[in-house]
Amino acid sequence: MKFTKKNDLYLLLVVILLVLVMIFMNAYPKKGINGAEVYLKREKILQITKEGTYSIKNDEGELLMNVEYIDQKVRVTDSSCPLKVCENTGWVENPNQPIICIPNEIIVKPLGTEDDTGIDIYTW
């Protein structure tokens, strides 16, 4: 007695193929950001949209940090804060992950479509 038909096997193969394609697409989400916004003491002072290195200075003209934006990633390359936590953050390519320098009161917020990574916060 035959329980399966040839068409049933084709349907099963199509369903398995669709599931594999969906898993592959979700496993490799598009990464990258469209730029960044820099806030100093809760005020937006800079919007970064072009690649390059940007210097962030306070009202007295003292250099607080350098922010680098290349290949849809952003990082802090130099900072005047004592612990350099913002420098140790490294490259950020996720719009859900801001770079925060508490002593200098600076926030570098990556811009882009927020993806649902399931990660709420990063700590070091």
Side-chain angles (χ1 to χ4, degrees), residues 50-107:
K50 295 182 180 179
E51 291 187 354
T53 302
Y54 299 85
S55 297
I56 311 301
K57 298 180 180 181
N58 62 10
D59 295 334
E60 291 81 34
E62 297 172 2
L63 179 68
L64 297 176
M65 72 171 48
N66 288 325
V67 177
E68 186 176 24
Y69 174 61
I70 296 176
D71 294 330
Q72 296 183 325
K73 295 184 265 185
V74 67
R75 72 174 175 168
V76 174
T77 57
D78 185 33
S79 178
S80 64
C81 61
L83 296 178
K84 312 279 187 202
V85 174
C86 51
E87 285 182 46
N88 294 331
T89 301
W91 288 105
V92 173
E93 57 185 342
N94 184 346
N96 296 330
Q97 182 184 4
I99 301 172
I100 300 172
C101 182
I102 293 174
N104 289 331
E105 298 182 59
I106 296 176
I107 297 173

Side-chain angles (χ1 to χ4, degrees), residues 31 89 92-98 115 117-124:
K31 296 218 173 187
T89 301
V92 173
E93 57 185 342
N94 184 346
N96 296 330
Q97 182 184 4
D115 56 347
T117 60
I119 299 172
D120 292 334
I121 191 167
Y122 292 85
T123 60
W124 288 264

